[in-house]
Amino acid sequence: MLKRAHRNREKVKVLVELYVQKAQNFSPSRNGAIVFITWKRGTKKSQGDTKSVVVKNGEAEWNEKIQFESKLFIDAVSGRADEKKLTMYIIEKSGKKIGKASVNLATYYENGRGAENVNIPFTLEEKEKDRGKLGSLCIIGSFSFRPLKYNDKSLTKVGNRPTSKDPRLVKTISGVDYFMDKTDSEHSDTTVDTSSVISDSEDKTTFDEISEQDMAPGKEDLQVLQQQIEMLETESFERLST
């Protein structure tokens, strides 16, 4: 059930990729420090750390991707997403937090196109007299979003396949066509029809009954058997008489 704030919204599950190129504008006192980025989006499943790098000349370079799945709630008319926060910290190897950023993913979604040349500013955890000469501490990178589900229906990129020969609905997101598979609650094309299958309770014939029926002789078989017995008795009597 959707929260009241998300009613009348289209739900899109996406794979979010934040490409972190570098952080810049470290204070001179941080040169030589070993730092990493720790991030979290919602639950514990969507969190992690980057590799550790050394700050040189006021910059730390990662060239690393941060990936996680997230559900965005989109206004059908404007294409804008509701607010969704991603929290990041730049931390020294010693554990000391240098700066914090709270990023609204909706700002970079832009109808699913993502954003390049992103500048994410960080708020310093403590006041430093010798902060960077070029401005505030920030991360330089880019955002991309790959749709995975639309209103709980799995999405498959159409590509070069003709849509006219496929019974599935087609949803266009950011100029790209996707087939929409059916949800788990809907009837699947591959569901097996079991209406004609007889259950154990419906089949009243037991194994013992079947065996007795197969083994019991018929009326004609008894007549043949009786004739064979009479013939044997006659032959035996004639042999004794001679």
Side-chain angles (χ1 to χ4, degrees), residues 133-190:
K133 298 178 181 179
L134 300 177
S136 300
L137 178 64
C138 65
I139 281 180
I140 306 299
S142 62
F143 271 104
S144 65
F145 300 85
R146 180 161 66 86
L148 301 175
K149 288 186 176 182
Y150 176 81
N151 289 339
D152 296 324
K153 296 182 179 181
S154 296
L155 297 172
T156 304
K157 196 172 181 180
V158 172
N160 296 323
R161 289 173 290 180
T163 58
S164 59
K165 296 183 179 180
D166 197 299
R168 292 175 293 179
L169 296 175
V170 175
K171 175 65 179 178
T172 301
I173 301 177
S174 185
V176 180
D177 291 335
Y178 296 89
F179 287 122
M180 289 196 301
D181 293 333
K182 294 181 179 179
T183 61
D184 294 337
S185 60
E186 293 178 309
H187 183 75
S188 173
D189 294 333
T190 58

Side-chain angles (χ1 to χ4, degrees), residues 64 78 82 101 135 147 169 172 187 207 212 224 226 238:
E64 184 174 341
S78 66
D82 291 347
L169 296 175
T172 301
H187 183 75
F207 175 77
E212 290 176 0
V224 172
Q226 184 65 35
E238 290 177 351

